[in-house]
Amino acid sequence: MAKPERTFGLIVGIEKYHETAWNVPGGGPADDALKFAHWLHRRGVPKQNIRLCLSALEENHQLIGECGLTVELATEQNISDIVTNFLSPKSGDLLYIFWAGHGLITSERERRLFFADANERNYQNLNLNSLLVYLASKKFQIRNHICIVDACANFPSLLRYQSGELPGKTFFSGDPDPASQQFVLLATREGETAKVNSTEKTGYFSQAVREAFAAANGTFPPNMTEVTEVIKQRFKSLDKKQLPTYFYSRNWDGDIEKSYFNPFDIPHNILQSQAREFVGRDEQIEQLRQLLQANDIVAISDVTEKGGVGKTELAIQYSWQYLEDYSGGCCWLNPQGIDLGTQLVEFGVVNLPDFNPPDGLSLAGQVAYCWKKWQAGKVLLIFDDVKDWKQIQPYLPPKGSRFKVLITTRLNTGLAYPSVPLGGLSEDGALELLAKLLGDEYVQQENETARKICKLIGYLPIALYQIAGHSQNRGGVLC
């Protein structure tokens, strides 16, 4: 339990960035943060306990003027100062952190949240993982924390241009505080994007949080486990390919509860997406989901037999979206690499508990060991870029087992499995991708030329990337 007068809030809403291309069209995060701050104040939290940091689009500045609360800059320096110099010494019952804005997850599986002063030369961001550890250390006097984050957790293209790790604001903690408790509610699972309701100018997740709090009938603080269940049910009805998740930790003794499998705990070696943007394939991802529910083996084939249609990317996107369905793990196999049996065994040894093939087994025996000793749960195996069916036959799991197999291939002959045939994008999908790569203004200004080019290249994603790269090198000229 927490007394409102001993409750504090750090509320952040960022829709306008120093890098203007990152601005949230129409807004939403600033208003979501304002509404959360007002909710805290209406529950009796003093104004002086609420630090509200906003970066609003110009068309939404009137919201700030009408809010009646002190509004501060959502910059790295200011927010860092609030955490270390204002909140850290305070004695209180509970700290609420609410953050709405852009986020990502690094290859090291660290969630990052971008400050308002971030740009393409300086990706100023908060290392959320380090903040949580800091809050739960003896350096921080408020023992209980509820952290609510409405941000993406995908792997954006900007990371691929970084050398080494992505630098960010990191808090250095002291010894863990055994009295600390944290409830962290995240809008997205790993690999997902947080959707915005552009009509209502609000994040779907933030809106669901407000509705769940309203359903708590004035209880303060609300029961966060019950709140989360309400939010999850709401998202199942929205069908936004986004599902909130949470974790709760107590007393630093490893006591952790999870509403859904945390992808950190599901063994996988899924490739990182190489696509700066992914559009026009929602129907095919749904086809894959349905086919894999009904069949042991499913293929993604190339109707052009030339490549460049996005088979591997479709497999990557499906794997990230539905990783939670495969609690036994997701093993990515490359038939063009070392022996497939060796790849299988190495995945098991590295990723699975109590997986120790006996010495002296033949390779076939080691593969059989995989099927029998793999950890519990449904498993997804992906054979990427199969050029010869005979090459993978010895490494397919037993029929009717808990193993599902997804194959990507250019082959269209001898296809013995249900498949999702992949060709070029639709015209609208191709134009959407080109607009995302070059910016809407380019395609709008040269719409007829853009349509002709898309048709000429057969609406192939790889060709659109090549054209976009060429156009950017020439200053945005399409032809």
Side-chain angles (χ1 to χ4, degrees):
M1 299 300 295
K3 296 179 181 179
E5 63 271 19
R6 287 179 53 82
T7 297
F8 292 82
L10 172 58
I11 316 301
V12 181
I14 305 174
E15 59 193 26
K16 181 182 179 181
Y17 291 83
H18 187 272
E19 189 68 45
T20 56
W22 297 359
N23 291 352
V24 179
D31 195 28
D32 287 334
L34 275 169
K35 288 175 179 174
F36 193 90
H38 280 299
W39 174 82
L40 272 183
H41 185 51
R42 289 196 302 270
R43 292 297 176 271
V45 179
K47 285 186 178 181
Q48 63 267 25
N49 287 11
I50 301 172
R51 301 297 294 265
L52 178 60
C53 301
L54 300 181
S55 180
L57 297 174
E58 291 184 7
E59 60 261 38
N60 297 328
H61 276 184
Q62 77 280 359
L63 298 172
I64 296 176
E66 299 166 356
C67 75
L69 295 170
T70 300
V71 175
E72 305 176 65
L73 298 175
T75 60
E76 177 180 357
Q77 181 176 347
N78 191 52
I79 293 174
S80 300
D81 181 68
I82 290 171
V83 172
T84 55
N85 297 322
F86 174 75
L87 290 172
S88 183
K90 298 293 184 184
S91 176
D93 295 338
L94 175 64
L95 169 65
Y96 272 100
I97 294 179
F98 176 87
W99 192 298
H102 287 317
L104 57 81
I105 195 163
T106 69
S107 57
E108 292 81 26
R109 303 303 190 262
E110 293 176 341
R111 292 197 183 232
R112 305 295 185 90
L113 304 173
F114 284 97
F115 297 106
D117 46 344
N119 58 60
E120 286 192 346
R121 293 171 299 282
N122 188 348
Y123 298 117
Q124 291 177 276
N125 66 88
L126 169 67
N127 184 326
L128 178 61
N129 304 52
S130 78
L131 174 62
L132 295 175
V133 172
Y134 175 75
L135 297 181
S137 75
K138 290 183 178 179
K139 285 189 175 181
F140 204 81
Q141 301 304 307
I142 305 172
R143 306 301 183 203
N144 305 300
H145 322 118
I146 295 175
C147 183
I148 300 171
V149 178
D150 192 353
C152 299
N154 58 339
F155 300 93
S157 58
L158 65 87
L159 286 183
R160 287 191 280 280
Y161 305 113
Q162 291 287 319
S163 57
E165 296 182 0
L166 178 69
K169 172 60 183 177
T170 300
F171 291 89
F172 297 99
S173 65
D175 294 333
D177 186 342
S180 174
Q181 296 186 85
Q182 291 183 333
F183 192 104
V184 181
L185 178 57
L186 305 165
T188 51
R189 296 170 297 178
E190 184 175 331
E192 293 179 337
T193 57
K195 308 301 189 302
V196 176
N197 184 337
S198 56
T199 303
E200 300 294 331
K201 294 188 176 183
T202 180
Y204 283 100
F205 170 76
S206 293
Q207 186 175 28
V209 169
R210 292 194 296 271
E211 293 171 355
F213 277 7
N217 297 320
T219 303
F220 186 88
N223 183 308
M224 289 304 296
T225 304
E226 294 177 359
V227 164
T228 301
E229 289 305 317
V230 171
I231 292 170
K232 289 190 298 186
Q233 291 303 317
R234 172 66 172 160
F235 267 82
K236 286 181 179 178
S237 67
L238 287 174
D239 189 29
K240 292 296 175 185
K241 296 182 176 60
Q242 170 191 345
L243 190 60
T245 187
Y246 78 91
F247 63 87
Y248 163 66
S249 58
R250 180 178 66 236
N251 295 342
W252 286 81
D253 60 1
D255 186 3
I256 296 177
E257 300 174 8
K258 294 170 188 158
S259 60
Y260 279 83
F261 280 109
N262 187 331
F264 298 147
D265 298 334
I266 298 180
H268 68 80
N269 60 342
I270 304 171
L271 302 181
Q272 288 191 34
S273 171
Q274 296 302 306
R276 287 172 54 196
E277 301 290 346
F278 184 77
V279 301
R281 297 299 196 195
D282 288 350
E283 181 180 339
Q284 286 80 7
I285 286 182
E286 177 60 21
Q287 281 182 273
L288 280 179
R289 186 188 69 82
Q290 293 181 13
L291 285 174
L292 282 165
Q293 284 180 337
N295 302 274
D296 291 337
I297 304 175
V298 175
I300 302 173
S301 60
D302 179 353
V303 297
T304 72
E305 298 186 353
K306 297 177 180 178
V309 296
K311 303 181 298 300
T312 296
E313 186 61 36
L314 183 64
I316 291 172
Q317 296 290 336
Y318 170 81
S319 302
W320 281 121
Q321 285 191 30
Y322 292 100
L323 177 59
E324 188 178 283
D325 293 345
Y326 300 96
S327 57
C330 176
C331 177
W332 196 284
L333 301 163
N334 177 12
Q336 317 313 319
I338 62 175
D339 184 271
L340 288 169
T342 301
Q343 292 182 51
L344 267 173
V345 173
E346 286 184 349
F347 179 92
V349 170
V350 171
N351 295 283
L352 306 179
D354 304 319
F355 188 91
N356 300 297
D359 293 336
L361 286 178
S362 66
L363 190 56
Q366 292 180 46
V367 171
Y369 179 92
C370 289
W371 311 140
K372 291 184 178 181
K373 298 297 183 179
W374 205 280
Q375 77 171 33
K378 190 165 68 172
V379 181
L380 179 63
L381 303 175
I382 300 171
F383 294 87
D384 185 29
D385 193 20
V386 172
K387 293 180 169 61
D388 184 351
W389 297 119
K390 293 180 180 179
Q391 187 180 8
I392 67 170
Q393 289 298 327
Y395 306 104
L396 295 177
K399 290 183 178 181
S401 64
R402 57 194 174 91
F403 292 84
K404 298 288 186 177
V405 175
L406 179 59
I407 297 168
T408 74
T409 180
R410 293 189 189 184
L411 300 175
N412 278 310
T413 56
L415 191 61
Y417 313 112
S419 70
V420 175
L422 212 58
L425 297 166
S426 67
E427 182 182 42
D428 288 343
L431 286 170
E432 181 185 356
L433 176 56
L434 199 59
K436 286 182 177 294
L437 294 174
L438 291 176
D440 290 335
E441 63 277 10
Y442 289 114
V443 175
Q444 290 173 358
Q445 291 171 7
E446 303 186 52
N447 185 265
E448 189 60 33
T449 299
R451 289 180 182 275
K452 289 179 180 178
I453 290 174
C454 288
K455 182 177 181 180
L456 182 66
I457 63 171
Y459 308 105
L460 293 178
I462 192 171
L464 289 167
Y465 274 97
Q466 292 169 344
I467 286 172
H470 177 69
S471 174
Q472 288 170 334
N473 290 336
R474 297 181 59 195
V477 180
L478 278 173
C479 61

